[in-house]
C-alpha cells in the first residue's frame, strides 16, 4: 500500500489543521492506521491510531499529549485517513507521518509496515 500525507502548514497557537493520508494499492480497512510525528532533534513519537471493523472504529488510541485535541478518522469511500488537530500548541510542531500495519501494539513503530512521506506542521507562538 502507498500512503501520501498532506495538509500540513504554518498555523498560530490555538489554531487548527486537518491532515490527510491518501492510500492506494489496498483498502485501509485491512490495516491498523496510525499517525506519528518527529520534532527537530527528537525521536519519532506516536500520536494516534485506530482500527475499524464492519465500517466502524472499534479501537482508538491517542498519546496523552494530544488527547482531547486531536481526532483520527477515516473516509472509506476515499480510502483516506485524517487527523483533525485543534487547539494547536508550539510543541505540536513536527513532521507528521501516517502509517499502516497489522501488528500490535498500535502505538509502537514496529507495528507498521507502510509509511507516508511526512507533512510539516509548524505552530507559531
Amino acid at each position: 500500500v502507498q500512503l501520501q500525507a498532506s495538509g500540513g502548514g504554518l498555523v498560530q497557537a490555538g489554531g487548527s489543521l486537518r491532515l490527510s493520508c491518501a492510500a492506494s494499492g489496498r483498502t485501509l480497512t485491512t490495516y491498523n492506521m496510525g499517525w506519528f510525528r518527529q520534532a527537530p532533534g527528537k525521536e519519532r513519537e506516536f500520536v494516534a491510531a485506530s482500527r475499524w471493523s464492519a465500517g466502524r472504529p472499534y479501537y482508538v488510541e491517542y498519546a496523552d499529549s494530544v488527547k482531547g485535541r486531536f481526532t483520527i478518522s477515516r473516509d472509506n469511500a476515499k480510502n483516506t485517513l485524517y487527523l483533525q488537530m485543534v487547539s494547536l500548541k508550539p510543541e505540536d510542531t513536527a513532521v507528521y507521518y501516517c502509517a499502516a500495519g497489522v501488528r500490535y501494539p498500535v502505538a509502537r513503530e514496529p507495528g507498521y509496515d507502510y509509511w507516508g512521506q511526512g507533512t510539516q506542521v509548524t505552530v507559531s507562538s
Side-chain angles (χ1 to χ4, degrees):
V1 62
Q2 292 78 45
L3 303 174
Q4 180 73 36
S6 62
L10 174 63
V11 64
Q12 289 186 333
S16 302
L17 281 174
R18 188 179 76 161
L19 305 184
S20 300
C21 177
S24 60
R26 295 285 298 273
T27 175
L28 291 184
T29 57
T30 307
Y31 297 100
N32 299 324
M33 298 298 299
W35 287 98
F36 290 75
R37 68 186 182 186
Q38 187 168 22
K42 296 185 177 181
E43 294 186 351
R44 190 155 56 185
E45 65 177 4
F46 169 73
V47 175
S50 68
R51 181 160 178 86
W52 286 264
S53 178
R56 295 183 178 182
Y58 77 88
Y59 177 81
V60 178
E61 183 174 345
Y62 294 96
D64 288 342
S65 59
V66 306
K67 281 181 182 177
R69 301 188 298 120
F70 291 11
T71 304
I72 189 170
S73 65
R74 185 184 69 174
D75 184 329
N76 290 337
K78 296 182 178 180
N79 211 30
T80 299
L81 178 76
Y82 299 101
L83 184 68
Q84 179 69 51
M85 307 184 294
V86 301
S87 301
L88 283 162
K89 305 175 181 179
E91 51 263 43
D92 294 319
T93 295
V95 177
Y96 284 71
Y97 300 88
C98 58
V102 297
R103 293 182 295 275
Y104 291 88
V106 296
R108 304 293 295 274
E109 290 189 39
Y112 297 89
D113 299 301
Y114 307 99
W115 292 82
Q117 85 289 358
T119 185
Q120 176 71 48
V121 172
T122 303
V123 184
S124 62
S125 57

